[in-house]
Amino acid sequence: MKKPIAFFVHHQGRGHANRTMAIAEHFSRERPVSVMTAAPEQFAGADPRIEVIALPNMIGDAVPTPRLFEEPTPSVMHCVPLGLSSMRRTMRTILDHLDDRDVGLFVVDVSSEIGMLGRIASVPTVQIRMHGDRSDIGHVGSYEAAVGLIAPFDEKLEQADYPAKLRAKTTYTGGLCTTRDPVLSRADARARLGLPEDQKVILVLTGGGGSGTPYAPLTMGARAVPDALWLVAGPVHREGHETDFANLRELGWVSNVTDHIAAADIVIASAGDNTVHEIARVGAKFVVMPEWRYFAEQHRKAEALCALGAAVTASAWPGDYAAWQALLGAAEALDPAALRALHNPDAARNAATWLEGLADELWTGAEADTPRLTVVAAE
């Protein structure tokens, strides 16, 4: 029987869950697979052979005493408050599952602490990598403790300052997009959506990982380019003083994101992993406006995109007509082929193939009678 592969899946946004499901569906049928997450509802409708284990959602849990709260976080960790029973239950659930299922490979998407926990529990662990300034001891330690790293993006998007020894441990799957909707021509997408054939369409695409794109700058854009139809898909953040304009439409959440991207002349979006690759899959002209994330994840990814000529950006949302016009003019000059080349339709399959191969390689010979290594106590 093949060794089980287990995933830890972070509950922020839907990208981690969607990526896990996309990878797991390419595992061989005889490979047991499980997921541990604080957002089990995100796996409703997933392949029934994926065992889902619910973890406590610790967000908002209060530290019991001021004295515990005052204890500093050690530099090797990022967020491990003291005194939380939910933290103990989370760690116990993970360890019990790894032990009960005799897991052969533990894939962490994402958490440095959980990655280290896997290594401490003597389970081979793989970390899913993200962009960002992650040279701190916590990140580097978890990467060094892993038997391998997966970057769900094209190697051309790698950061120039990423350490060579960790790059050597990284498998680049190519741009991984979990969307499967067919990509229509611009004319067909506009016909399906009931959009005018001859009007410029600017799509603003927001995701579920943050509080929403600020609405006020979009009203300035609508005024700066009044002949364009501005469509906003996803949540926006309002401050209460904005004025609406007829050429600026809020669509809320849409189920046919691919059609909207295909119909647009320019797409404005954040630098979230799946968002970037959704746009790359269609091959649109891309204005990337990175959102605040821990360790400057989206800003570093935006820098890499712009260095490749795959997108343009601004240091902040434009606040005047000329700045908007200049930014959109730069986007018009882009060659969409540069962005399109970063998407790989086989990325999820590449990740699954590598993970299964690694699991088998690590455990080949495990039934041998003579152990290869004797463990001795450290002094």
Side-chain angles (χ1 to χ4, degrees):
M1 180 178 177
K2 289 184 176 292
K3 281 278 191 181
I5 295 178
F7 289 78
F8 168 83
V9 178
H10 201 286
H11 59 280
Q12 179 67 22
R14 294 199 59 88
H16 304 290
N18 289 343
R19 179 161 56 208
T20 297
M21 288 186 282
I23 293 171
E25 81 168 30
H26 293 291
F27 287 156
S28 56
R29 302 304 298 180
E30 61 271 25
R31 176 77 64 185
V33 57
S34 58
V35 167
M36 292 175 276
T37 180
E41 68 279 359
Q42 293 185 351
F43 288 86
D47 189 322
R49 70 194 179 106
I50 299 177
E51 181 185 9
V52 180
I53 295 89
L55 299 174
N57 188 339
M58 297 177 285
I59 301 299
D61 283 4
V63 175
T65 71
R67 179 66 181 83
L68 288 169
F69 184 74
E70 290 167 2
E71 279 297 307
T73 300
S75 60
V76 296
M77 297 178 178
H78 298 136
C79 183
V80 186
L82 291 174
L84 299 187
S85 60
S86 56
M87 182 75 75
R88 294 193 294 276
R89 290 197 306 274
T90 293
M91 301 305 164
R92 183 169 62 248
T93 301
I94 292 172
L95 290 172
D96 285 347
H97 180 74
L98 295 175
D99 194 28
D100 292 345
R101 301 297 186 274
D102 191 23
V103 168
L105 194 63
F106 184 29
V107 185
V108 179
D109 188 1
V110 289
S111 167
S112 295
E113 288 86 359
I114 299 299
M116 290 296 289
L117 179 70
R119 179 61 188 253
I120 292 168
S122 197
V123 179
T125 301
V126 168
Q127 284 273 10
I128 303 290
R129 270 197 45 212
M130 303 172 76
H131 285 82
D133 297 321
R134 301 177 191 271
S135 60
D136 59 278
I137 189 173
H139 276 109
V140 173
S142 70
Y143 293 156
E144 290 180 342
V147 295
L149 308 170
I150 284 184
F153 49 83
D154 193 289
E155 188 170 5
K156 293 192 294 292
L157 271 179
E158 183 59 276
Q159 296 170 203
D161 60 354
Y162 197 71
K165 67 176 182 178
L166 297 181
R167 188 179 296 205
K169 294 182 71 168
T170 300
T171 291
Y172 299 89
T173 66
L176 198 162
C177 178
T178 60
T179 301
R180 302 182 179 182
D181 296 336
V183 178
L184 302 180
S185 68
R186 180 173 300 175
D188 288 344
R190 290 192 177 195
R192 174 178 288 185
L193 297 173
L195 298 175
E197 296 181 9
D198 56 353
Q199 187 177 14
K200 179 181 290 186
V201 174
I202 298 172
L203 174 69
V204 182
L205 188 61
T206 73
S211 60
T213 292
Y215 187 67
L218 305 183
T219 67
M220 293 298 296
R223 280 181 273 183
V225 189
D227 59 334
L229 174 61
W230 291 65
L231 303 176
V232 186
V236 296
H237 175 71
R238 288 178 178 265
E239 298 180 36
H241 54 70
E242 298 88 351
T243 300
D244 293 325
F245 293 89
N247 65 323
L248 177 59
R249 300 181 191 169
E250 287 186 74
L251 306 177
W253 290 111
V254 297
S255 59
N256 52 349
V257 173
T258 303
D259 289 344
H260 284 82
I261 297 172
D265 294 286
I266 295 173
V267 178
I268 303 171
S270 71
D273 267 337
N274 202 59
T275 297
V276 168
H277 293 121
E278 277 186 311
I279 300 167
R281 180 171 175 257
V282 175
K285 295 183 177 183
F286 185 20
V287 175
V288 59
M289 294 300 296
E291 296 180 359
W292 186 93
R293 291 292 185 273
Y294 292 103
F295 305 102
E297 172 205 332
Q298 289 204 10
H299 286 80
R300 296 306 305 275
K301 192 187 308 172
E303 291 170 5
L305 286 164
C306 293
L308 292 173
V312 295
T313 191
S315 60
W317 285 96
D320 61 87
Y321 299 169
W324 264 117
Q325 291 161 357
L327 180 61
L328 296 175
E332 289 281 11
L334 289 171
D335 180 357
L339 181 61
R340 189 181 296 113
L342 300 178
H343 169 249
N344 186 338
D346 293 322
R349 185 185 301 276
N350 292 343
T353 299
W354 181 78
L355 288 170
E356 287 210 273
L358 178 60
D360 292 342
E361 176 190 342
L362 289 167
W363 292 96
T364 296
E367 309 303 323
D369 294 332
T370 305
R372 298 184 180 183
L373 176 67
T374 300
V375 177
V376 297
E379 302 215 357

